[in-house]
Structures are given as C-alpha cells and as structure tokens.
Amino acid sequence: MVTDLKADCGSCFGLCCVALPFSASADFAVDKDAGVPCRNLQDDFRCGIHARLRQSGFPGCTVYDCFGAGQRVSQITFGGRDWRQAPDAAERMFAVFPVVRQLHELLWYLNEALALRPARSLHAELRRLRDETEGLAAGRPEELAELAVAEHRQQVNGLLLRTSELVRAQAPGGRKKSRRGADLIGARLSGADLRGAELRGAYLIAADLRGADLRQADFIGADLRDAQLAGADLTDAFFLTQMQLNAAHGDDATRLPAALARPAHWTDR
C-alpha cells in the first residue's frame, strides 16, 4: 500500500480544526483549546473562511499540513465515523490524529530519501523503516494511543542524518559548514552560496535568502516563516516540505523541487 501523504480535506472530519490548540498571535486571531472546534468550522467540516484565512488573521492555517493523516484517521482508523455522530470516539480520535500526523511526516521524509540516488547504499534500511512506519500508522486506535512515537522518530532521524551526509557530499566543494539549529533570524544571506548546507532545525525566520543558491541543502525542521526566497534556487533542496514553503515568501523566479507547488500567496500580493 502506498499511503496518500497529501491532505484531502474533503475526506476528513476537520480534525486539525478541532484536535489541535492554538494561541492568539500573528498566526491565529484567537485562542483555541485542544478538542474544541474552531469557530470557523462549519457543519460540513469545511472552513467558513477558507478563501480569506490570511486576511482574517489565520495565516497559521494556510501553512499547516497534516501529510494526509486527517483522511486516514477519519476514513480508515475510525472507519468513517465522525466525532459529531460518535461523540464516544471523539476524545480518542483527537488523541490519535497528532500521532498519525507525525508518522505520515516521517513517511514523507523516508519516501523522499528513497528517491535520492546518492543515498542508494541506504535504500534497504530506508525501505525497512518506511514499511515499519507504515505498519505503525495502520494500527488500531488503542495501539496508536500507546505508541512511543518519539522513540520511533529518533530511529528514523538517525537514518535520515546518514542520508543527508551522503547527499550533501555531492554538492560542489563538498559539504558546507553545518548550520544545524543555527539562529539565522533576519540573517542577510541574499545571493549566498549555500549548496549542500545543513540547515536542519535552523531558525530562518524573516531571513533574506533572495537569489541564494540552496541546491542540495537539507531543510528538515528549518523554520522558514517570512523568509524571503525571491529568485532563490531550491531545485535540489531536500527534506523541504510544502508547509515550509507556504510559510515563506517567494516569486515566479524562485526555483522549486519538482514535488512541491508554488504557494498561491507568492503571486497574489
């Protein structure tokens, strides 16, 4: 089975709009507790302000990605029973959703790693972990609720680190100095040669990366909120997600990996 790792909101019971909490901030206009439906969630589980989320003070919703966990929990794990019709299952559904979401994110990275030719020596191990992760995501609600997902994530991360080393070693000049977890908030990196850079977990909030060369850079866990990517080259960047791109700003000249889409707000401004 190939798991669908792209969100299908029409097959979900608005789980991200209920299960997850958020606080009034630049990303959300109001406070909301976990397990409480967002005030904008309609009876048909659709968002009442979907077309104007950014203008209404909810840009955080526009960058969120469940990696397909929503429809899996809604239609498979709980067999199509929604939390309104089956209130006895609501608490378990809300608890399971973030667990499956984490597993689906790991599947995204593992599938991408399997497509990276420089890491082919690790493909057997990657396939084994991908299949194991898929098996965990297919578990029953009670199994998912008890899953030590942090331990599994650590195991996957170790293999992804090895994958990153092999891929970045192919960049011209070899691997660049590690910027793992670096504080690059507002950094002036316009036009920088960051090919093969390790940007894992780096804080690139509002960083100026216009025209930067980011090919073969590792972006896993990097915070790209309000980063400026106009004209940047991310063609072969890896472990970069749609969620990260949606949080940044780019333009028609920004070059992206083939698997990712140009966010609508990049050209709507």
Side-chain angles (χ1 to χ4, degrees), residues 82-105:
D82 73 66
W83 48 272
R84 284 181 174 140
Q85 295 178 339
D88 57 309
E91 186 174 343
R92 287 186 299 147
M93 189 178 294
F94 300 155
V96 161
F97 170 66
V99 174
V100 176
R101 193 267 180 200
Q102 289 189 66
L103 293 172
H104 273 218
E105 182 182 10

Side-chain angles (χ1 to χ4, degrees), residues 132-206:
E132 181 181 338
T133 305
E134 170 59 38
L136 293 173
R140 298 189 301 273
E142 55 271 24
E143 294 171 332
L144 288 162
E146 297 297 324
L147 181 63
V149 69
E151 293 180 13
H152 183 69
R153 192 177 192 105
Q154 185 175 13
Q155 183 181 9
V156 172
N157 189 54
L159 190 53
L160 295 179
L161 277 168
R162 291 165 60 195
T163 299
S164 178
E165 289 286 320
L166 292 172
V167 175
R168 292 185 297 105
Q170 302 300 308
R175 293 185 297 271
K176 300 294 188 295
K177 179 180 178 181
S178 174
R179 300 184 181 223
R180 186 177 182 182
D183 182 354
L184 297 172
I185 297 174
R188 298 178 180 178
L189 298 168
S190 178
D193 181 358
L194 293 169
R195 288 174 294 177
E198 183 181 21
L199 297 171
R200 289 177 150 252
Y203 295 95
L204 289 159
I205 301 168

Side-chain angles (χ1 to χ4, degrees), residues 37-240:
C38 174
R39 67 185 188 184
N40 299 309
L41 185 66
Q42 301 180 138
D43 291 342
D44 61 358
F45 301 110
R46 296 180 183 275
C47 175
I49 60 169
H50 180 74
R52 56 182 193 282
L53 280 165
R54 287 182 175 273
Q55 303 93 311
S56 302
F58 290 87
C61 297
T62 68
V63 305
Y64 180 76
D65 188 352
C66 75
F67 294 96
Q71 66 259 29
R72 178 172 207 147
V73 173
S74 298
Q75 302 301 331
I76 299 176
T77 312
F78 285 87
R81 293 182 302 152
D82 73 66
W83 48 272
R84 284 181 174 140
Q85 295 178 339
D88 57 309
E91 186 174 343
R92 287 186 299 147
M93 189 178 294
F94 300 155
V96 161
F97 170 66
V99 174
V100 176
R101 193 267 180 200
Q102 289 189 66
L103 293 172
H104 273 218
E105 182 182 10
L106 294 178
L107 285 171
W108 173 276
Y109 292 133
L110 288 166
N111 282 337
E112 182 175 1
L114 282 165
L116 297 172
R117 289 185 58 81
R120 54 188 175 275
S121 63
L122 299 177
H123 281 187
E125 292 180 74
L126 288 164
R127 279 192 292 271
R128 178 186 62 78
L129 263 185
R130 181 193 61 185
D131 293 345
E132 181 181 338
T133 305
E134 170 59 38
L136 293 173
R140 298 189 301 273
E142 55 271 24
E143 294 171 332
L144 288 162
E146 297 297 324
L147 181 63
V149 69
E151 293 180 13
H152 183 69
R153 192 177 192 105
Q154 185 175 13
Q155 183 181 9
V156 172
N157 189 54
L159 190 53
L160 295 179
L161 277 168
R162 291 165 60 195
T163 299
S164 178
E165 289 286 320
L166 292 172
V167 175
R168 292 185 297 105
Q170 302 300 308
R175 293 185 297 271
K176 300 294 188 295
K177 179 180 178 181
S178 174
R179 300 184 181 223
R180 186 177 182 182
D183 182 354
L184 297 172
I185 297 174
R188 298 178 180 178
L189 298 168
S190 178
D193 181 358
L194 293 169
R195 288 174 294 177
E198 183 181 21
L199 297 171
R200 289 177 150 252
Y203 295 95
L204 289 159
I205 301 168
D208 182 0
L209 291 162
R210 291 174 296 176
D213 191 341
L214 294 157
R215 290 173 291 173
Q216 294 172 296
D218 180 351
F219 275 92
I220 196 166
D223 192 336
L224 290 172
R225 282 177 293 169
D226 292 325
Q228 301 298 320
L229 297 173
D233 190 350
L234 296 112
T235 307
D236 298 319
F238 62 103
F239 299 153
L240 177 69

